[in-house]
Amino acid sequence: MTDAASVVPTLSVTGLQKSYGPTVALGGVDLTILPGEVHAILGENGAGKSTLVKILSGVVTPDSGTAALVGLPYKPQSILHARAQGVATAFQELSLLPNLTVAENLALPRLEKGRSRLISRRDNEDCAAATLDRYGLQLHPRAQVSQLSLADRQRLEIVRAMSKGPKLLILDEPTAVLSSTDWLFALIRAETARGTSVLYISHRLNEIRELCARGTVLRSGRSIATTDLRQTDDAAIFEMMVGSSLATFSRDRSRINRVTKSRLKVTDLHAGAIKAASFEVAVGGIVGVAGLDGQGQGDLFHALFGLTAIESGTIRIDGETVRIKSPSQALKAGIEVCLLPEERKTHGIFPTLSVQKNVTLGALGKVSTLGVIRRARGLKLMKSVAREVDLADRYFNFQIGELSGGNQQKALLARVLSTGARALLLFDPTRGVDVGTKQAIYEAIQRYAAAGGAVLLYSSELSEIVQLCDQCLVVYDGRIVAQLEGEEIEERRIVAAATGHLDRSNTGRAA
């Protein structure tokens, strides 16, 4: 029997540090990953996880500290150098090139050369088809990446990393846009059975517990501890991550029975993939939308905000029928959408503008006179909405692109709240943020609803819908196949409806 102490770690990191001027991104990280292990990295947004990934992937060079890969010094100078040594990364901020095909992206970072010419397109596509088949990804090799859903782009990013045959596979928030983990987890287990080690970064503790026996917690750029996750409960992990205990968050489901006035009422809506959708969101109500990838939930939100053409059906706000053909008409009707777009960095923020400018763009009429921005008004509004989302004043003048993902998400929610809209459409508002930021966003949503607002919320995390919502609409094949209320909202019923296995006697009211 092999002595565990004699096993050479796949990766060993000691005292890793990185600073950008006075800002310390990593202040000392130590961790060890064993062969065939799925090792978790846990921490809040801004804890140093992204910097650690960039260093191990060869994107960034550390200021000090050492790393060893299978016992040999590891100092990658680029992504190509890291891959050549056996480290492949599937990045959270996707590294695919949207103007290229699936096959061309799989062949990156370089298209293989024959003896005298580039490999033929047909050979490259045949190779891509074999790779896609091996990993169970049903995409056409000639498909343009820009035309793929974000979930399929994430899967392609993962497959490309796995196909390099790495010694160490780094997965950075790999399920942030995936509604099901079955495909990925099966691949991970197959990889580790062959001896591949996996560094797994996720804010979803249930996933981490399913995959990982050990995890390293980062806080403020330092490794706090490597812990046996089987012996450590969620409260203890959270306390290590933030240095304090997690406050209890609960939802008073009985409140829906006390609400009678409808704020948003949709009747027989046909738009894009959505067919005959009918539902209501009450004043003070939070209604969740659940569904697997590509079932039409995106078209529902886009239609309500004027981004997808409405073929038929009616929309009423406070009993008044409204016509919504553009976002400006939606705003006039009292709706504001926070798609917190699936790709926050490309569709949500203006990265070179300050946080304050990004936020107040949502309410220019409130902070300007005759088209001239009034600085005092802008600052007053900014402070007001920043308090609602727990965004620190010191970030106001930062370029928003410099903030962690969690703080960017808070700023986007603040932008929506600044409009004073009567109804909010929130599309996956906590995707890829840490548990502390999630709680701040939950509380902001609940305060908004309690003050008389109405919220329609899509989430890829079913636990979020269970925790936060009064009602849940389940979308399958473009139709709302179930409407769950109160205590009926639980994951088993949602999954049954979302996969087309609707038991009408036990799965809430059929739509």
Side-chain angles (χ1 to χ4, degrees), residues 456-485:
L456 185 69
L457 176 149
Y458 167 75
S459 178
S460 55
E461 292 191 52
L462 296 187
S463 59
E464 189 162 278
I465 289 176
V466 171
Q467 181 179 8
L468 194 61
C469 298
D470 304 309
Q471 291 181 299
C472 175
L473 311 175
V474 185
V475 181
Y476 176 73
D477 194 25
R479 296 183 180 274
I480 298 174
V481 295
Q483 296 189 22
L484 310 177
E485 293 188 359

Side-chain angles (χ1 to χ4, degrees), residues 63 416 497:
D63 297 330
V416 173

Side-chain angles (χ1 to χ4, degrees), residues 142-450:
R142 294 182 184 175
Q144 193 92 355
V145 165
S146 62
Q147 301 303 310
L148 301 180
S149 69
L150 182 58
D152 278 338
R153 277 178 272 166
Q154 180 69 74
R155 294 184 185 100
L156 182 61
E157 177 93 2
I158 292 165
V159 164
R160 187 172 69 173
M162 285 185 173
S163 68
K164 306 302 178 185
K167 300 170 186 173
L168 174 66
L169 174 66
I170 301 174
L171 299 176
D172 187 5
E173 295 288 351
T175 64
V177 295
L178 304 183
S179 58
S180 172
T181 61
D182 294 348
W183 171 82
L184 175 61
F185 285 10
L187 291 182
I188 290 174
R189 292 183 177 112
E191 288 294 314
T192 55
R194 289 192 286 267
T196 304
S197 299
V198 178
L199 186 63
Y200 192 87
I201 301 167
S202 176
H203 292 302
R204 300 178 177 181
L205 282 177
N206 60 323
E207 292 180 7
I208 285 174
R209 290 195 179 284
E210 185 174 344
L211 282 174
C212 309
R214 298 193 308 143
T216 297
V217 180
L218 303 186
R219 185 172 79 231
S220 301
R222 296 179 178 273
S223 51
I224 301 303
T226 293
T227 184
D228 183 338
L229 295 170
R230 296 164 296 190
Q231 304 297 321
T232 312
D233 63 21
D234 289 359
I237 291 172
F238 183 83
E239 191 163 353
M240 284 189 280
M241 287 169 56
V242 302
S244 60
S245 59
L246 177 62
T248 302
F249 181 86
S250 61
R251 179 79 172 140
D252 177 11
R253 296 192 188 281
S254 65
R255 60 190 299 284
I256 191 170
N257 297 322
R258 304 193 299 269
V259 175
T260 57
K261 184 179 179 182
S262 172
R263 169 57 49 78
L264 171 66
K265 184 174 182 178
V266 174
T267 305
D268 198 29
L269 182 71
H270 291 255
I274 286 293
K275 308 159 191 170
S278 297
F279 61 90
E280 295 184 43
V281 184
V283 172
I286 303 175
V287 174
V289 176
L292 301 180
D293 296 332
Q295 298 303 305
Q297 56 268 45
D299 282 346
L300 173 61
F301 280 72
H302 288 169
L304 294 175
F305 195 57
L307 295 173
T308 293
I310 295 173
E311 299 165 20
S312 62
T314 59
I315 300 172
R316 294 182 176 88
I317 300 291
D318 290 334
E320 180 181 346
T321 299
V322 295
R323 293 175 57 115
I324 298 173
K325 294 185 177 181
S326 68
S328 62
Q329 288 183 341
L331 286 169
K332 288 178 182 177
I335 302 176
E336 167 64 8
V337 64
C338 186
L339 287 175
L340 292 176
E342 290 181 304
E343 295 182 85
R344 175 177 55 235
K345 288 188 180 296
T346 55
H347 295 156
I349 64 172
F350 297 89
T352 60
L353 297 184
S354 70
V355 172
Q356 182 171 324
K357 288 179 180 177
N358 268 272
V359 170
T360 55
L361 278 173
L364 289 177
K366 296 181 179 181
V367 299
S368 63
T369 302
L370 298 177
V372 179
I373 301 295
R374 301 301 180 185
R375 186 174 300 177
R377 289 186 195 173
L379 182 59
K380 182 178 179 181
L381 178 64
M382 182 69 205
K383 286 183 175 181
S384 174
V385 292
R387 284 195 298 270
E388 291 297 311
V389 299
D390 193 30
L391 182 64
D393 292 8
R394 66 189 180 91
Y395 293 130
F396 289 4
N397 292 319
F398 280 42
Q399 284 189 4
I400 196 170
E402 297 175 352
L403 269 58
S404 68
N407 281 319
Q408 289 178 5
Q409 204 82 336
K410 287 180 180 180
L412 287 177
L413 183 56
R415 179 199 293 171
V416 173
L417 293 173
S418 73
T419 65
R422 290 174 285 170
L424 299 185
L425 312 179
L426 305 179
F427 200 94
D428 231 357
T430 65
R431 182 177 74 84
V433 304
D434 60 78
V435 289
T437 300
K438 280 185 180 181
Q439 183 161 322
I441 291 175
Y442 291 167
E443 291 173 349
I445 293 170
Q446 189 177 34
R447 282 193 298 269
Y448 171 83

